[in-house]
Amino acid sequence: MKTIKKTKEYIYQINGSKFISICFYVEEICTINDILSKLKSDHRKAKHICFAYKIDDKQKFSDDNEPQNTAGKKILETILINKLHNILIVVIRYMNGTKLGVGLLSRSYYHSSTLVTNDLENICDLSLINIYKITIELQRANSIIEYLIKNKEIIFNKTLNENNLIIETSLNNQIINNFENPIFIKKTYIKKTYNS
């Protein structure tokens, strides 16, 4: 799976219309309304604020009063063609009264959203991993942490009590059996950038 590393903004102008495309990494649909509300507040003079998103197997688009399927659907197409996940792309249109016509309008929204998907420096791999809680005796803590790091596992949290260290970590299938009673906590997404 692929996603974006960070929120970025791109601008495309044609025949008096200015299209501002902004991409957001999202994991939950409930955050989308907050993002859209802020954008509507920040861009009160914009004529249209169109969007599309894909989170897991859920996807949706909005044309925001543009002619049907000329805006949001074109944005969603770029997300699906590029196999992006956990992404919201919003395209904000300012116009000076010049009509583009349905064909040019549709191509403009598509082009605006491809500015996001063609920015390869901002695209990264996305993995869904399991997080487990493991309890370790204090005298073994350092060697276990070294083992997890050597196996490229991610340590999310460490809690110390009198006798044990409790670690929340990813565990791949090859090493999970090396631990007694790991407790599954949740699934989560991680971005892999490889250049950091």
Side-chain angles (χ1 to χ4, degrees):
M1 292 191 293
K2 302 275 186 193
T3 194
I4 56 162
K5 294 178 187 176
K6 61 184 178 181
T7 297
K8 283 184 84 171
E9 185 175 300
Y10 310 80
I11 296 174
Y12 173 65
Q13 296 187 68
I14 184 168
N15 295 359
S17 280
K18 179 179 179 182
F19 295 86
I20 304 169
S21 50
I22 309 171
C23 58
F24 301 88
Y25 176 79
V26 288
E27 288 187 1
E28 297 178 355
I29 291 173
C30 61
T31 61
I32 291 173
N33 285 337
D34 294 338
I35 293 168
L36 293 173
S37 294
K38 183 170 186 333
L39 289 174
K40 286 175 184 174
S41 174
D42 292 347
H43 296 273
R44 293 174 198 261
K45 294 184 179 179
K47 186 73 173 169
H48 304 280
I49 298 180
C50 306
F51 70 88
Y53 68 77
K54 180 165 178 29
I55 302 174
D56 296 324
D57 60 346
K58 299 171 189 73
Q59 59 190 44
K60 184 178 178 179
F61 68 85
S62 168
D63 291 317
D64 190 33
N65 296 319
E66 289 282 31
Q68 187 174 4
N69 297 330
T70 60
K73 187 174 184 180
K74 294 299 175 184
I75 300 167
L76 183 60
E77 280 178 21
T78 63
I79 292 171
L80 298 177
I81 287 168
N82 290 280
K83 299 178 181 170
L84 295 173
H85 295 266
N86 291 15
I87 185 171
L88 165 68
I89 299 177
V90 181
V91 179
I92 302 160
R93 182 184 181 199
Y94 286 87
M95 55 186 292
N96 69 357
T98 305
K99 292 191 175 181
L100 298 179
V102 171
L104 185 55
L105 179 67
S106 187
R107 289 191 299 275
S108 297
Y109 275 103
Y110 187 81
H111 178 74
S112 296
S113 55
T114 62
L115 296 175
V116 171
T117 59
N118 290 343
D119 183 357
L120 297 180
E121 290 183 4
N122 198 36
I123 304 293
C124 64
D125 288 329
L126 181 68
S127 297
L128 183 62
I129 62 167
N130 295 325
I131 300 178
Y132 294 89
K133 185 191 300 185
I134 55 175
T135 302
I136 304 158
E137 296 169 353
L138 286 179
Q139 61 267 27
R140 297 181 58 218
N142 286 339
S143 62
I144 294 296
I145 290 170
E146 286 176 16
Y147 178 76
L148 291 170
I149 291 169
K150 179 182 170 190
N151 283 279
K152 298 183 178 167
E153 298 299 345
I154 301 167
I155 298 172
F156 293 93
N157 193 21
K158 293 184 274 191
T159 307
L160 188 63
N161 65 25
E162 285 183 24
N163 304 313
N164 300 309
L165 179 67
I166 300 165
I167 299 176
E168 293 178 13
T169 182
S170 59
L171 293 176
N172 69 48
N173 292 334
Q174 293 157 348
I175 70 165
I176 193 169
N177 294 328
N178 296 337
F179 295 93
E180 286 184 35
N181 303 318
I183 299 169
F184 174 77
I185 299 175
K186 65 177 181 177
K187 291 181 178 288
T188 191
Y189 287 98
I190 57 162
K191 298 179 190 181
K192 293 185 177 180
T193 59
Y194 300 111
N195 57 0
S196 52

